[in-house]
Amino acid sequence: MTTTPRVRTGSRRAMFARMLLRATMVKPGRVVSALVAVMVAASVATAMMNLYVDVQAKLRKEFRSYGANIVVIAQGATGLPADALDHVKQALDERDVAVPFAYAVARTSKGEPIVVAGTEMDAVRRLNGWWSVTSWPQDAHAVLLGSRAASSVAPDGHPFTLTFEGRALTVTPGGIVRTGAAEDSRVYLNMSDFVAWTGVRPSTIEIGASGTPGEITTRVEKLKAAVPGAEVRPVRQIMEGEARVLGKTRMALLAAIAMIILTAALCVLATLTAWVLDRRRDFAIMKALGASERLVNGFFAAEAAALGAIGALAGFAIGIGVAAWIGRVNFHAAIEPRFEVLPVVLAGSVAVALISAVLPISLLRRVQPATILRGE
């Protein structure tokens, strides 16, 4: 009866798998040593990459709470076009925040000038999470007072009157904001009330955009096309500060991972080299029975790759747990498992194992069956 090629191929694969399994039983201590080295490298790499990806997302979220990183400013004195905010929102992602601001210099009941800003309170609250606010206005004609402005116009917290171009508006303090900057001297009013009172359109749109510096630059170009009559510029302090912090975090991560991978590679190299020396007789018998140089080298490379893959999978599971523990103990925050890291860790571990097998494979080429089998 003739054996089909498919059956022969299946038999060879089964024999190859049995030989790999048998190889691990010859010197189990060597296998465990190499496996532990790969597991340590994979677990640390997994933990650090999970931490970096999650911390990077958290840092970007924190930077967004420090205010706008893009500003759209009207070029003329008439303010931005009426549909400018709609065009801006269409050019942004759903997670981005766009806040319009309109400004007017009004007079208090004592005749003193004061800057009144019209805006959308809910959007400002999302954009400027760093503001220290006692409470956010909820009622009609309720205003958010800067701490210095409050001591001037409403020291007792009672309603007060503002006048702009002969039109008076009585407002009620709804909360006090303290930033240590120009906001402390302003009165913030809901945009609908502000426009109905002054007739002044927004002149500025502050935007909190999420993403990398390259993505922010792309959004700036889209905004320039969406509002051609306005000046669009990034807030360099925010962008550069974010890029600097993330860059240093990335460099520290890569340096630590490189050192760990180098150490693991040296451990695997020493283990595989000793493994080859211990099994010279086995490889000599394989060659004596007709195994080609290519087959013997491929067999040993498959053993190394299997060690790398198994160590990567075990190390990934351990690394996920380590990252969660570090996040809870040091950052007091949950670190979400990033399963997109697994292919990187798996490929890296297999690559480290194969690179470490290069020197042992060169030793295999020097194995002479006749010499080894004579006991020399």
Side-chain angles (χ1 to χ4, degrees):
M1 184 174 62
T2 305
T3 305
T4 64
R6 182 177 298 179
V7 172
R8 288 197 298 269
T9 301
S11 300
R12 290 173 182 173
R13 290 176 179 174
M15 177 62 72
F16 195 79
R18 286 196 297 271
M19 290 173 64
L20 283 177
L21 182 61
R22 174 62 182 167
T24 62
M25 299 178 182
V26 175
K27 290 288 183 178
R30 303 289 187 191
V31 177
V32 171
S33 298
L35 195 60
V36 168
V38 175
M39 282 175 56
V40 170
S43 60
V44 174
T46 298
M48 299 195 74
M49 283 192 284
N50 268 268
L51 286 171
Y52 174 71
V53 173
D54 206 84
V55 169
Q56 179 178 246
K58 286 180 169 59
L59 283 174
R60 284 191 174 137
K61 184 178 180 180
E62 289 297 321
F63 271 106
R64 293 293 69 76
S65 68
Y66 288 123
N69 54 0
I70 303 175
V71 180
V72 180
I73 304 173
Q75 296 281 40
T78 57
L80 293 168
D83 58 353
L85 183 60
D86 293 333
H87 289 312
V88 165
K89 289 182 177 179
Q90 290 174 3
L92 300 175
D93 289 347
E94 294 181 357
R95 56 184 176 174
D96 299 336
V97 182
V99 185
F101 288 92
Y103 299 96
V105 179
R107 296 281 175 176
T108 66
S109 57
K110 299 178 182 178
E112 298 173 344
I114 190 168
V115 176
V116 181
T119 188
E120 297 176 358
M121 296 294 178
D122 291 339
V124 171
R125 188 174 186 176
R126 293 172 55 201
L127 178 67
N128 296 314
W130 63 277
W131 282 11
S132 176
V133 179
T134 58
S135 62
W136 289 90
Q138 300 293 332
D139 302 328
H141 291 190
V143 296
L144 180 66
L145 291 172
S147 56
R148 289 193 294 271
S151 62
S152 174
V153 298
D156 52 5
H158 292 165
F160 59 95
T161 300
L162 297 172
T163 304
F164 177 78
E165 294 183 352
R167 297 188 292 273
L169 178 68
T170 300
V171 294
T172 303
I176 295 176
V177 58
R178 182 176 287 102
T179 68
E183 292 84 4
D184 292 356
S185 300
R186 296 173 182 167
V187 176
Y188 288 89
L189 182 65
N190 280 310
M191 184 64 77
S192 57
D193 296 333
F194 179 88
V195 173
W197 172 44
T198 64
V200 177
R201 293 205 306 264
S203 59
T204 303
I205 299 176
E206 295 185 2
I207 300 166
S210 301
T212 64
E215 292 171 340
I216 301 301
T217 301
T218 301
R219 283 190 183 82
V220 168
E221 297 303 320
K222 291 174 64 177
L223 288 168
K224 287 180 179 179
V227 192
E231 177 186 2
V232 182
R233 64 169 183 260
V235 179
R236 294 295 178 187
Q237 295 90 335
I238 298 292
M239 288 186 62
E240 290 174 1
E242 180 178 350
R244 188 161 49 249
V245 170
L246 294 176
K248 289 181 178 179
T249 304
R250 185 184 300 109
M251 289 303 297
L253 167 76
L254 293 177
I257 290 179
M259 291 298 296
I260 293 165
I261 290 176
L262 178 60
T263 303
L266 292 174
C267 293
V268 174
L269 172 61
T271 302
L272 292 181
T273 302
W275 201 11
V276 166
L277 296 176
D278 289 340
R279 297 169 57 204
R280 286 179 299 172
R281 189 174 184 83
D282 295 341
F283 291 117
I285 292 174
M286 289 177 64
K287 288 186 176 182
L289 293 176
S292 64
E293 196 78 41
R294 182 178 179 182
L295 177 61
V296 173
N297 294 342
F299 178 74
F300 189 79
E303 291 179 347
L307 283 175
I310 295 171
L313 295 175
F316 179 79
I318 296 171
I320 291 292
V322 171
W325 177 77
I326 293 175
R328 185 171 61 255
V329 172
N330 294 315
F331 301 110
H332 305 288
I335 302 295
E336 297 180 2
R338 304 285 178 171
F339 290 98
E340 63 268 23
V341 171
L342 177 57
V344 178
V345 173
L346 183 60
S349 299
V350 172
V352 167
L354 290 175
I355 292 172
S356 302
V358 171
L359 178 59
I361 286 175
S362 67
L363 296 177
L364 280 177
R365 296 188 183 130
R366 301 176 187 174
V367 173
Q368 299 297 326
T371 302
I372 298 297
L373 294 177
R374 283 200 306 265
E376 298 179 7

